[in-house]
Amino acid sequence: MLIKSIESLNDGLNVLWSDSSSSCFPWLWLRDHSESKADLHPDSKQRQIDVFSNPPNNSVDKVFLDENSKHIVIKWIDESESNLSFELLQNNSEPSLPTSNAMNTLSFWNTPSEIINFPQMSYEEVMSNGGIKTWLTHIQRVGFVLVTETPETPEATKELMERMAYIRNSIFGGFSVWDNKLENPDDTAFTSLAIEPHTDGTYVHDAPGLQTLHCLKRNSIGGENQLIDGLAIAEKMKHNHPDAFNILCSVVIPGRYIKSDVYLEAHRPLFRVNDNGDVIQVSFNNHDRAPFRLENDQMNKFYDAYKIFHNLANDSSRQFEFMLDPGKVLTFDNWRLLHARSSLTGYRQLCGGYHNREDFESKLRSV
Ligand SMILES: [Fe+2]
């Protein structure tokens, strides 16, 4: 969309677009969003102009289009100047409330057979130029990626994770190596027990964005991993069980993690949605759900809705099951996919850690 013409009005600058639509940008908004060197730091892109401490005189002396630099220049009566790119004006041509990014609903999967273009690549590929973009795109598309032929060492796994971003610290440490023979395990994850489908970190305000797991040594029977697309369950419930979906969007569920010297607790609905009602995060961990009680009729409705989600997540036809073998590194979107594990006998040594959600999104924007 190109700018056809501009016109100064009392309320603001009216921009007439090539499709014959128009946008009237208020004068204060234009001054506040100026991209001139003085108003917006050229390197940090941080706002330097302050329109609040000393409210400026927004009387316009002159306004014109600079076709060469593709900017609109406004000369104010106080002799200051604002400069706004056509791109900024185009991006803001329609007023709208800022909303969190919704997940991509084009490629959710109800069964493993619906996973198109299986998200797998070699270690060499992901570590080569441009490889990280493919890796990120797989996660964005279907919620996970498997990296094969990885050297079976903690160092190589850490290097792979750091290709994306720094590794997040948590109650379990940063990058960690563990096995299922700990004397005093902090979590079921460090045992041989089965674990129901869940997302990690329902007890922290900002749940880990990505989780990476690599089984370095395996001399065991069982212990298969399962992945379930929580976004697919959300879409199914939205259409088939809208009342239950709405309950799971609104009831704030407490999650907790308790040790002798730690008591973490956070509250989040199972489905977090943006202002458009699109899902931005799935949080579910029946093991870590803390006690809460609603009015009896509300509690019953909550249990009915939670049961629908629980049973869909535990439906084996929805689960992509595989064995984490040495050399195969799994990374998945912990805001979208649920993960589970069958019980095992024998010995396993694993390593891995977390990434923050914003770093995943940042890398997607910048590669
Ligand atoms: Fe987990």
Side-chain angles (χ1 to χ4, degrees), residues 167-179 182 184-191 195 198-204 206-208 210-213 256-259 261-262 264 285 288 334 339 350-355:
I167 296 166
R168 165 176 169 151
N169 216 331
S170 78
I171 190 83
F172 306 114
F175 180 82
S176 310
V177 182
W178 69 94
D179 62 26
L182 295 175
N184 296 303
D186 286 346
D187 194 277
T188 320
F190 308 125
T191 70
I195 311 173
H198 67 283
T199 58
D200 276 18
T202 53
Y203 44 76
V204 293
D206 171 28
L210 302 182
Q211 180 172 179
T212 294
L213 288 171
R256 70 178 182 186
Y257 175 90
I258 303 174
K259 263 175 52 173
D261 54 348
V262 178
L264 298 177
N285 192 327
D288 292 344
N334 185 58
H339 58 288
L350 294 108
C351 68
Y354 296 131
H355 282 113

Side-chain angles (χ1 to χ4, degrees), residues 53-346:
S53 301
N54 296 303
N57 179 350
N58 288 327
S59 303
V60 178
D61 179 29
K62 201 158 126 193
V63 54
F64 57 93
L65 293 169
D66 183 337
E67 294 287 355
N68 292 330
S69 66
K70 297 199 181 314
H71 278 75
I72 279 183
V73 181
I74 304 167
K75 291 186 182 293
W76 307 95
I77 207 89
D78 62 10
E79 296 190 347
S80 60
E81 185 177 302
S82 296
N83 212 302
L84 294 101
S85 65
F86 293 177
E87 190 188 357
L88 176 71
L89 297 172
Q90 279 171 17
N91 290 342
N92 290 279
S93 59
E94 290 289 333
S96 65
L97 283 173
T99 54
S100 303
N101 285 341
M103 287 184 197
N104 175 9
T105 53
L106 294 176
S107 51
F108 62 79
W109 44 277
N110 286 287
T111 63
S113 62
E114 290 180 9
I115 301 172
I116 299 163
N117 181 13
F118 191 78
Q120 186 165 302
M121 58 195 297
S122 71
Y123 184 79
E124 195 184 340
E125 199 184 343
V126 73
M127 299 304 275
S128 66
N129 277 347
I132 195 69
K133 186 170 185 173
T134 312
W135 187 88
L136 291 161
T137 308
H138 280 315
I139 300 171
Q140 186 186 38
R141 199 171 49 81
V142 291
F144 71 98
V145 61
L146 286 166
V147 176
T148 59
E149 299 155 70
T150 307
E152 296 158 21
T153 63
E155 293 76 20
T157 316
K158 191 164 178 273
E159 219 174 303
L160 165 62
M161 291 185 71
E162 287 174 342
R163 188 88 176 163
M164 209 294 281
Y166 63 95
I167 296 166
R168 165 176 169 151
N169 216 331
S170 78
I171 190 83
F172 306 114
F175 180 82
S176 310
V177 182
W178 69 94
D179 62 26
N180 56 334
K181 299 296 173 192
L182 295 175
E183 272 190 20
N184 296 303
D186 286 346
D187 194 277
T188 320
F190 308 125
T191 70
S192 303
L193 299 169
I195 311 173
E196 265 198 29
H198 67 283
T199 58
D200 276 18
T202 53
Y203 44 76
V204 293
H205 298 303
D206 171 28
L210 302 182
Q211 180 172 179
T212 294
L213 288 171
H214 185 191
C215 180
L216 297 170
K217 290 177 190 157
R218 186 168 83 81
N219 182 13
S220 57
I221 297 169
E224 294 85 357
N225 281 80
Q226 296 87 22
L227 294 174
I228 304 101
D229 191 354
L231 180 61
I233 299 179
E235 292 299 311
K236 187 180 177 66
M237 289 190 68
K238 200 186 270 188
H239 293 105
N240 296 5
H241 308 279
D243 292 343
F245 176 79
N246 288 334
I247 287 168
L248 297 182
C249 290
S250 60
V251 174
V252 174
I253 303 168
R256 70 178 182 186
Y257 175 90
I258 303 174
K259 263 175 52 173
S260 55
D261 54 348
V262 178
Y263 194 137
L264 298 177
E265 184 167 319
H267 303 74
R268 214 161 27 246
L270 198 154
F271 295 127
R272 202 154 69 85
V273 295
N274 64 15
D275 290 335
N276 300 323
D278 300 320
V279 175
I280 56 175
Q281 185 181 8
V282 178
S283 299
F284 176 81
N285 192 327
N286 195 39
H287 299 296
D288 292 344
R289 181 161 47 86
F292 71 100
R293 183 176 169 231
L294 308 173
E295 293 290 343
N296 290 356
D297 61 330
Q298 287 302 310
M299 196 77 218
N300 288 336
K301 284 178 184 165
F302 169 77
Y303 273 134
D304 289 344
Y306 197 79
K307 181 181 175 179
I308 292 171
F309 182 94
H310 174 276
N311 291 355
L312 286 168
N314 281 276
D315 177 350
S316 59
S317 72
R318 290 190 162 271
Q319 302 183 351
F320 166 56
E321 183 171 274
F322 62 102
M323 188 64 86
L324 270 180
D325 280 319
K328 197 192 284 181
V329 180
L330 165 71
T331 301
F332 60 89
D333 180 348
N334 185 58
W335 281 33
R336 169 176 166 182
L337 260 54
L338 291 87
H339 58 288
R341 188 193 65 202
S342 307
S343 63
L344 67 136
T345 54

